[in-house]
Amino acid sequence: MARPRPQTGFLAPIALAAGIGLLICSLANALSREGGDPMLLYWAGVLLISLPTFWRLTSRDATRGERLGLVVLLGLSLYGVKVVRDAPLFTFSDEMVHAFNADQIVRHGELFRANPILAVTPSFPGLEGATSALMELTGMSSYWAGVVVVGAARLAMMIGLFVLFARVSGSNRTAGLGAAIYAANFNFLFWGAQFSYESLALPLLIVLLAAVAERDASPREWARDWALPLVLGIASIVVIHHLTSYATAVFLIALAGVYWVLRRDWSWPNPWRYGVLATLLALAWLFLVANSTFGYLGPVLGSAFESVFHTASGEAPPRALFQGKGSSVPTTPILARGVALLAVLILAGAAALGLKKAWDRYRRDPFVLIFAAASAGFFATLLLRLAPAAWETGNRLSEYFFVGLAFIAALAAAWERRPEGLRRLDRAALTAAFGVLIVGGAIAGWPWDLQLASPLRVSAEGRTISSPPLALAEWARREIPEGDRFAATIADARLLLTPGEHVALAGKTPDIEDILEETGISGWEAPLLREEDVRYIVADRRQIASDATRGYYFSTASEEEEALPVQVVSKFNQMPGAKRIYSGGDISVYELGKPE
């Protein structure tokens, strides 16, 4: 008699393969920090994590529990790829901003404390509130508490996707495939895994959608039982992230509208009340608490619309794809570009096939119609990438629309009409296509030269040496009294926030950027610095210091050749009352004299 297969199926050996893949990614990052170029090794690790999982998900005999375990394993393992890249430090620009907010909450015991880099973030304290609570309970640093919170959000996202897709499609196989396909969205590997408010809010939105779908399938007498979790979910999203709260309101209102069009009925299970609630809460929070959002999103969206108009009318050239700013930033290799473009073509083909199945089988289902519209919206966001000032808006919107695209693509992947003997070839083809989606999505969503870690610290003769900006932050934490303010370049300022634990101003509002980059001193500079209560100026000759993604690491030879003139540093010797108190290669710190 054959031994029965356990409910977990092949989860254990696939978990072993994922662990080995993560170890390979970690090794590739270590080699990259030493100056190597182990890109192929890195992609091999990513594929070892992804492909066995997807192969098993394409089977017809896996149990519901095994499929759920596989999608959770995939989501958390790919999150691990991001974590091992730079642990134990935050190196993404938004991460340091939010870690500073969490540290401020712990240090001062209150929310809504000002952030000098991204002023809108304290108005949405949900992420930092949860992180600070974990810090207080466990004694963890903001880094480790942030890793745990985002990891828990990733876990909730994968479970939510599976539950949502299973309920809507009625198929556990489709649900597993859809959740796995979502892991191929452009922001899944890095942008959506960073310690940032969207990394928590978007998973909560997916959990909320799953709850709405489960509510709709429940008996009417359970309506009151669903009210509390749905209201709490909506309220949580509103206080975590602006864009996700607006997406929540739009989705629920659109879903209510589709319900009415299909059934001409506003009663159960139409979720119009929750759509109205989400809209009112988002507007109330915007006007009463987070009105700084207008000043944050207004210029971004205005520039995006203007850029789209100029690009579409031919008044401005389209944005070049796969190219970074500056000659020191390497372009994406031709082969990698081809993989990313092939991934888009595969998604387009899957969307076309999936839409046909959706129409044939699910055209009376409100969720499926919304998912179908979202899948079309995803390809619209790709067009925004051609407009220079709109590409970031399109990139951020894409992961919301990808929820619908993942479901529609899963319908195509689960559609079987071929004889039983050819299904193994179908599974192999689907798994290969998924590999292209995973790699191509990561290439499209994150700069090629930042896929692997850069050196933040190096060891020599038994000593560990930090990169110049990191050494500056560590020095400031040790030597500068709490409360003193810095003016610095974008990258230096973020490291001064955390781990430096000091307030640092940067950018154009106020105009710190021109003060630091001009070769001479103008009459308006000292009064502005006094007005902003700046005590220390960080003068940095590295052009890369103005790059919020690359400015934290040891410089390469090509970057040294592009150093700013020495006068951008030496000019502060001529400022009355200023004296240099720190020198670390290209970085110097000047202490300003106190006003009389």
Side-chain angles (χ1 to χ4, degrees):
M1 181 176 179
R3 183 178 180 181
R5 182 177 297 157
Q7 289 293 309
T8 55
F10 292 94
L11 184 58
I14 292 174
L16 176 61
I20 295 173
L22 188 57
L23 181 63
I24 291 173
C25 290
S26 181
L27 175 61
N29 279 291
L31 294 174
S32 178
R33 294 187 195 99
E34 297 295 327
D37 185 22
M39 194 63 79
L40 290 179
L41 183 66
Y42 165 71
W43 292 121
V46 171
L47 292 175
L48 187 56
I49 291 171
S50 307
L51 297 188
T53 297
F54 196 81
W55 169 265
R56 181 58 181 162
L57 289 172
T58 60
S59 70
R60 302 192 64 85
D61 60 341
T63 63
R64 176 183 174 88
E66 182 184 359
R67 294 184 193 277
L68 178 58
L70 288 171
V71 299
V72 167
L73 174 66
L74 177 64
L76 293 181
S77 298
L78 291 178
Y79 176 60
V81 172
K82 185 269 177 190
V83 173
V84 301
R85 178 182 179 273
D86 291 315
L89 286 170
F90 288 132
T91 60
F92 291 7
S93 59
D94 284 1
E95 291 184 317
M96 289 171 253
V97 170
H98 291 284
F100 174 80
N101 291 347
D103 288 331
Q104 290 291 295
I105 293 171
V106 171
R107 187 172 296 122
H108 299 282
E110 61 183 39
L111 303 175
F112 306 111
R113 293 190 63 84
N115 188 294
I117 302 295
L118 200 54
V120 72
T121 55
S123 299
F124 296 89
L127 171 69
E128 295 92 339
T131 304
S132 63
L134 186 59
M135 293 166 66
E136 293 274 30
L137 287 171
T138 64
M140 290 181 178
S141 67
S142 56
Y143 173 82
W144 289 113
V147 167
V148 171
V149 169
V150 176
R154 177 59 60 86
L155 172 64
M157 171 186 278
M158 302 309 294
I159 295 174
L161 285 168
F162 184 87
V163 172
L164 172 63
F165 293 164
R167 173 57 65 189
V168 174
S169 68
S171 164
N172 293 325
R173 183 166 180 264
T174 300
L177 292 172
I181 291 171
Y182 188 81
N185 89 68
F186 298 166
N187 292 334
F188 192 85
L189 194 60
F190 288 119
W191 177 265
Q194 67 176 318
F195 180 61
S196 182
Y197 41 20
E198 187 174 311
S199 301
L200 176 59
L202 180 55
L204 287 181
L205 171 57
I206 291 171
V207 171
L208 178 69
L209 300 185
V212 172
E214 290 292 326
R215 165 191 173 272
D216 293 357
S218 302
R220 185 167 185 169
E221 55 269 23
W222 292 7
R224 292 184 178 180
D225 296 332
W226 282 107
L228 181 61
L230 290 176
V231 170
L232 289 177
I234 292 170
S236 298
I237 293 169
V238 166
V239 303
I240 293 173
H241 186 226
H242 43 76
L243 183 59
T244 308
S245 67
Y246 311 147
T248 302
V250 169
F251 179 88
L252 292 175
I253 291 293
L255 184 63
V258 174
Y259 263 103
W260 185 84
V261 170
L262 293 177
R263 303 175 187 180
R264 301 293 176 177
D265 190 358
W266 291 107
S267 61
W268 175 275
N270 192 309
W272 68 269
R273 293 178 179 84
Y274 296 105
V276 172
L277 175 66
T279 303
L280 292 177
L281 288 180
L283 290 175
W285 193 265
L286 175 64
F287 284 100
L288 299 179
V289 179
N291 52 27
S292 61
T293 309
F294 290 107
Y296 171 64
L297 288 182
V300 173
L301 297 178
S303 297
F305 282 119
E306 183 179 351
S307 182
V308 169
F309 175 79
H310 289 317
T311 303
S313 64
E315 296 180 25
R319 171 178 171 265
L321 301 178
F322 303 109
Q323 294 184 9
K325 297 180 180 179
S327 59
S328 63
V329 178
T331 59
T332 305
I334 295 295
L335 180 58
R337 298 186 197 187
V339 173
L341 294 175
L342 179 58
V344 174
L345 292 176
I346 291 173
L347 288 172
L353 292 174
L355 287 171
K356 185 179 186 307
K357 184 174 181 180
W359 179 256
D360 291 343
R361 185 173 177 182
Y362 298 101
R363 60 176 175 267
R364 300 293 298 175
D365 189 301
F367 270 93
V368 176
L369 293 181
I370 294 292
F371 288 158
S375 66
F378 170 79
F379 293 101
T381 66
L382 297 183
L383 297 177
L384 294 179
R385 291 172 175 260
L386 299 176
W391 75 268
E392 186 173 356
T393 300
N395 183 55
R396 295 194 181 197
L397 289 175
S398 66
E399 58 187 334
Y400 294 89
F401 289 114
F402 207 96
V403 176
L405 178 59
F407 179 84
I408 297 299
L411 294 181
W415 197 357
E416 291 185 349
R417 288 186 172 180
R418 289 153 67 85
E420 182 69 32
L422 297 178
R423 287 181 181 173
R424 187 174 294 273
L425 292 177
D426 287 345
R427 293 176 63 194
L430 287 172
T431 304
F434 179 70
V436 174
L437 293 182
I438 285 287
V439 176
I443 293 170
W446 199 248
W448 177 258
D449 63 305
L450 296 178
Q451 296 284 339
L452 289 169
S454 296
L456 271 170
R457 293 191 174 104
V458 297
S459 298
E461 299 180 355
R463 297 179 57 195
T464 299
I465 303 172
S466 299
S467 69
L470 180 57
L472 163 71
E474 294 169 339
W475 168 82
R477 186 180 60 210
R478 293 192 311 267
E479 305 294 337
I480 302 301
E482 181 181 353
D484 286 348
R485 293 159 69 92
F486 286 77
T489 58
I490 290 175
D492 295 339
R494 280 168 163 77
L495 283 175
L496 283 167
L497 290 181
T498 181
E501 299 179 0
H502 281 82
V503 173
L505 306 181
K508 293 185 175 294
T509 309
D511 193 3
I512 301 299
E513 183 176 299
D514 286 335
I515 294 177
L516 296 176
E517 293 184 358
E518 289 181 354
T519 55
I521 296 177
S522 302
W524 59 272
E525 296 178 356
L528 175 62
L529 294 171
R530 286 196 298 270
E531 179 182 344
E532 297 295 335
D533 197 25
V534 171
R535 184 73 186 280
Y536 302 98
I537 295 177
V538 179
D540 193 338
R541 288 189 63 205
R542 304 172 309 129
Q543 282 197 14
I544 202 71
S546 63
D547 190 326
T549 57
R550 300 175 178 84
Y552 315 111
Y553 310 103
F554 281 98
S555 298
T556 65
S558 60
E559 290 161 2
E560 293 287 354
E561 293 169 1
E562 293 190 4
L564 296 171
V566 69
Q567 289 86 351
V568 301
V569 174
S570 63
K571 69 183 179 187
F572 292 110
N573 291 317
Q574 304 166 16
M575 182 175 283
K579 63 178 180 179
R580 181 157 58 180
I581 61 171
Y582 175 88
S583 180
D586 288 327
I587 301 177
S588 296
V589 178
Y590 289 83
E591 182 179 10
L592 302 182
K594 295 183 178 180
E596 298 180 0

